[in-house]
Amino acid sequence: ETGVTQSPTHLIKTRGQQVTLRCSSQSGHNTVSWYQQALGQGPQFIFQYYREEENGRGNFPPRFSGLQFPNYSSELNVNALELDDSALYLCASSDGGDSPLHFGNGTRLTVT
Amino acid sequence: KQEVTQIPAALSVPEGENLVLNCSFTDSAIYNLQWFRQDPGKGLTSLLLIQSSQREQTSGRLNASLDKSSGRSTLYIAASQPGDSATYLCAADLTGGFKTIFGAGTRLFVKA
């Protein structure tokens, strides 16, 4: 059973650019969530996808968008990058309901 | 608005000590509560998940309890080891499971 994998592991972008982060869910999981974790803080919920539809969103602006594909892999897109977007971006998958979240190792994004 | 608070923010103990980490949440209408471990620069590893109808869960040296009426959960670690050194995060799933709110974590250091 493969776990959650994220790519790339590290990324450096310039303010104003756009970035796409990728996540492969754990086998059999149909729900994926994205989180932003600033240094020294807990993860903040960005949004969740279930069977290719967004079904929950946190307090993030529309320049944060996502996709979930038929194989349940997912992308997080961030447009017009700002310095404060520098963080660890975590993807988590589950098979919904009351099952635990399984996290990937994250993508460390640095915006300069 | 659901808020999750963890106390203490950091803890240093000698090897072999039993310890308790605390988590409090403001809204008792939670779906479940999950405890995670995070090693530096890494993703989160699920430790224990307690359903809203349950009072506690145990796994090895770990025991987590949930008291919805008082808005509190505790993680008990028995006979701590240096390998337990990490940040421990609790997360409350809001009713419906569409949004997970994390605390800022407790950084634990176990001295050999």
Side-chain angles (χ1 to χ4, degrees):
Chain A
E1 171 181 278
T2 32
V4 178
T5 59
Q6 292 186 243
S7 62
T9 54
H10 295 84
L11 201 52
I12 300 175
K13 289 286 191 177
T14 303
R15 188 172 51 184
Q17 286 188 315
Q18 178 267 341
V19 68
T20 297
L21 310 182
R22 294 179 174 81
C23 172
S24 293
S25 302
Q26 184 163 315
S27 177
H29 287 182
N30 55 24
T31 302
V32 65
S33 306
W34 286 90
Y35 297 83
Q36 180 195 68
Q37 187 177 26
L39 205 59
Q41 311 224 350
Q44 299 292 312
F45 176 77
I46 303 176
F47 43 57
Q48 177 175 291
Y49 280 82
Y50 172 70
R51 294 188 175 184
E52 304 176 59
E53 297 287 331
E54 183 182 300
N55 71 346
R57 189 176 183 93
N59 296 324
F60 281 81
R63 61 188 184 85
F64 285 78
S65 63
L67 282 172
Q68 187 181 30
F69 299 100
N71 66 355
Y72 302 138
S73 65
S74 176
E75 287 182 354
L76 165 65
N77 299 290
V78 187
N79 294 322
L81 284 167
E82 300 177 0
L83 297 179
D84 285 349
D85 295 333
S86 295
L88 180 68
Y89 288 85
L90 295 162
C91 167
S93 72
S94 72
D95 57 9
D98 55 6
S99 59
L101 295 173
H102 295 263
F103 280 82
N105 280 331
T107 293
R108 172 70 62 187
L109 173 64
T110 302
V111 182
T112 63
Chain B
K1 177 188 171 186
Q2 178 72 280
E3 293 184 1
V4 178
T5 305
Q6 292 189 245
I7 294 173
L11 184 61
S12 180
V13 300
E15 182 178 6
E17 190 162 299
N18 302 325
L19 57 100
V20 175
L21 307 181
N22 296 293
C23 171
S24 61
F25 45 94
T26 54
D27 187 344
S28 62
I30 62 169
Y31 192 63
N32 60 47
L33 189 131
Q34 197 166 354
W35 283 91
F36 295 87
R37 168 189 172 133
Q38 186 174 31
D39 293 289
K42 299 292 188 182
L44 280 65
T45 300
S46 177
L47 298 173
L48 291 164
L49 181 147
I50 313 174
Q51 303 293 343
S52 62
S53 59
Q54 298 175 322
R55 298 283 294 185
E56 65 178 329
Q57 283 285 337
T58 298
S59 176
R61 295 182 295 108
L62 306 179
N63 175 275
S65 67
L66 175 64
D67 184 344
K68 284 179 57 179
S69 62
S70 66
R72 296 177 68 177
S73 176
T74 61
L75 178 66
Y76 174 82
I77 302 177
S80 58
Q81 303 170 358
D84 295 331
S85 298
T87 296
Y88 290 81
L89 297 133
C90 68
D93 259 355
L94 302 188
T95 302
F98 295 151
K99 189 172 181 179
T100 302
I101 309 297
F102 280 83
T106 294
R107 283 180 288 114
L108 173 65
F109 179 62
V110 181
K111 298 172 287 187

